Amino acid sequence: MGNCTDDGVFFQQDDAAERLARGLVSAVHHVVTHHECSPTRPLGVLFSGGVDSTALLAVARRMNVPVVAATAGWTGTNTEPLDISPARAAAHKLGATFVLEEVRDIHEVIDALRELHGVVHGMDVVKAGVALPVYFAARALSR
């Protein structure tokens, strides 16, 4: 089955999927090799449980690379965010260690925003919404 792009180029869906899969495997292999991942030095994945991070985690695990899947969640209300449980389940099913960085206090968020403001050019609400979970998950991986 084929498709036609906006510029009139015809391509096969299967070919595109194959190129995407090969590129993903190649990219993960490059990172794993470059960073010399091992049981004492696992690959860290900023993990939301979504399609992108799950695909990266699945490829790494299929290569038998040890992985720590880290995510962050606001637990200041003593209630785990709804997206944490499915992310934890996906990480465990794929054989990765799951780490949750719990953000419990608004002052943690304010301090993080102050720190990020100096490095994220043109900080706005959208950029903050992306930067904060990355910041906290990366903090978990740094331990």
Side-chain angles (χ1 to χ4, degrees):
M1 173 179 283
N3 283 328
C4 188
T5 63
D6 289 341
D7 60 358
V9 175
F10 186 77
F11 69 95
Q12 295 293 115
Q13 280 183 320
D14 292 344
D15 292 343
E18 181 64 29
R19 284 194 318 270
L20 177 63
R22 277 196 313 266
L24 181 60
V25 169
S26 176
V28 171
H29 182 268
H30 173 79
V31 168
V32 166
T33 303
H34 179 74
H35 291 287
E36 300 176 355
C37 294
S38 69
T40 58
R41 188 183 162 110
L43 176 66
V45 174
L46 300 176
F47 191 68
S48 67
V51 173
D52 298 342
S53 60
T54 301
L56 290 170
L57 187 121
V59 168
R61 290 301 301 135
R62 194 150 199 186
M63 294 176 172
N64 292 317
V65 174
V67 178
V68 175
T71 194
W74 173 258
T75 58
T77 60
N78 293 325
T79 303
E80 188 171 87
L82 295 175
D83 56 344
I84 299 300
S85 181
R88 180 185 291 112
H92 287 151
K93 184 165 182 89
L94 291 168
T97 301
F98 180 80
V99 177
L100 171 62
E101 181 73 5
E102 296 185 40
V103 182
R104 297 185 175 128
D105 187 313
I106 192 64
H107 297 290
E108 286 182 86
V109 175
I110 292 168
D111 291 345
L113 284 170
R114 283 190 181 116
E115 209 172 315
L116 289 165
H117 184 57
V119 295
V120 177
H121 181 71
M123 178 67 85
D124 59 24
V125 173
V126 174
K127 289 178 183 175
V130 172
L132 283 169
V134 169
Y135 173 88
F136 287 114
R139 184 171 78 178
L141 288 172
S142 71
R143 293 187 190 129

